[in-house]
Amino acid sequence: MLGTIWINAGMGLLAFVITFCTALASNVWLVSLERAVIALVIFFLAAFPIRFVLALVTETPGQSVTAEGPEESTAPLAEGGTEAKPTEQTGETAAEEAFSPLSFTKLEAVPPTEDPATVAEVVRRLTDE
C-alpha cells in the first residue's frame, strides 16, 4: 500500500481537529469531543481503502510492491565490474521481442456506383420538398 499508518493517523487527527472546532461553536464540549472522536475513527478507517486504490492506480505494470523492498539483481558481474546479461529469456521478454504491430493494407478507392446525373436528380427532389 501507499505510505504508512501515519497517513491514516494524520487524516484522522485532521478530521478530529476540524470537527471539534466546528462542533464546539454550537455544542457543549463533551458532545463536540464525542463527534470529533467519531470523525477520527471514520477518517482513520476510510484512509485504508483510499490508500489501497491510490496504490493500484499509481503502480506501473513492471513495478512490484514487496515487503522486503526492491528486488536485488542476482546476475554475476562480468569483467570490468559490469553486470552480465543472462542468456536465457523469460517468456515475457521473448513475447515482447516477437511482438509486431498490426499493419493494415492500404484501402483501395471504390468508384461511385451511382451515376452523377441520378444523384443530382435525387438531390433536386429532396430540396423541393
Side-chain angles (χ1 to χ4, degrees):
M1 259 196 272
L2 187 66
T4 63
I5 196 77
W6 293 108
I7 294 174
N8 294 42
M11 287 182 66
L13 287 175
L14 182 67
F16 177 87
V17 169
I18 291 173
T19 305
F20 185 73
C21 291
T22 55
L24 195 59
S26 60
N27 294 310
V28 181
W29 71 273
L30 191 59
V31 173
S32 301
L33 184 65
E34 179 183 333
R35 291 180 181 172
V37 168
I38 291 171
L40 181 136
V41 171
I42 289 173
F43 275 79
F44 180 82
L45 294 176
F48 282 108
I50 292 170
R51 284 178 38 212
F52 179 72
V53 169
L54 281 175
L56 287 178
V57 170
T58 59
E59 182 178 327
T60 58
Q63 178 184 11
S64 64
V65 179
T66 59
E68 296 102 27
E71 295 179 11
E72 294 183 13
S73 175
T74 58
L77 294 179
E79 290 182 18
T82 60
E83 190 171 296
K85 301 287 182 191
T87 55
E88 63 183 56
Q89 295 179 348
T90 61
E92 184 178 327
T93 56
E96 287 177 5
E97 290 178 11
F99 174 77
S100 62
L102 182 62
S103 61
F104 295 103
T105 59
K106 188 174 182 179
L107 296 175
E108 297 178 12
V110 179
T113 56
E114 299 293 330
D115 182 35
T118 308
V119 173
E121 185 177 331
V122 170
V123 171
R124 278 190 219 113
R125 279 192 217 151
L126 290 174
T127 56
D128 287 341
E129 292 178 0

